[in-house]
Amino acid sequence: MTTIQKDNTVFTVIIEITTEPEYQAELVQLSQGSLDIMATMEGFLSASLYRSHDGTKIIRHIHWRNRQDHDNCIKHPRWIEEGRDIKRFIDQGRGNIIMKTYDSVINL
């Protein structure tokens, strides 16, 4: 795991997917596959995957060296292929996704 130093600036993607408790385990598994692909991409620094105790959410927290590295990843054929499973999950009405991007400003 990469340690983010106090003076580093990184590009961060936080993805929240809301689902029903009976689908959370499947969603975690799908997310693990996509994170495994990301981890092989240039500029990837670290990722964390969280699941809520009530079973209704997962959070993916991904750090990239910069925005361009992230953008290159999501255009990569391996990522597009892997992302189809999560897209299908969402398109089937089993989840809602919110993705936001951030630049770090303070790291302690």
Side-chain angles (χ1 to χ4, degrees):
M1 175 183 260
T2 301
T3 301
I4 299 173
Q5 301 296 322
K6 184 176 180 179
D7 296 329
N8 283 4
T9 57
V10 297
F11 181 75
T12 302
V13 181
I14 299 176
I15 300 168
E16 176 182 275
I17 304 176
T18 304
T19 190
E20 295 297 322
E22 61 265 27
Y23 300 132
Q24 188 187 54
E26 178 184 358
L27 187 54
V28 166
Q29 184 177 6
L30 292 172
S31 293
Q32 177 64 51
S34 65
L35 291 175
D36 288 344
I37 298 291
M38 282 183 198
T40 68
M41 299 292 172
E42 185 173 341
F44 173 86
L45 298 176
S46 68
S48 298
L49 179 62
Y50 305 93
R51 65 177 175 213
S52 65
H53 290 177
D54 66 1
T56 62
K57 288 186 180 15
I58 69 157
I59 304 289
R60 293 165 35 154
H61 187 245
I62 307 141
H63 289 133
W64 293 94
R65 182 175 51 200
N66 55 52
R67 177 183 277 278
Q68 186 61 50
D69 290 332
H70 167 262
D71 292 348
N72 290 342
C73 173
I74 63 174
K75 294 175 187 172
H76 194 281
R78 286 183 62 213
W79 166 249
I80 292 169
E81 180 65 31
E82 185 66 35
R84 285 186 180 134
D85 291 335
I86 291 179
K87 184 179 181 327
R88 188 176 310 113
F89 183 94
I90 300 299
D91 289 348
Q92 291 171 345
R94 298 191 292 159
N96 295 306
I97 189 167
I98 298 171
M99 182 179 105
K100 300 285 184 178
T101 58
Y102 303 86
D103 291 320
S104 65
V105 290
I106 298 174
N107 297 299
L108 302 175

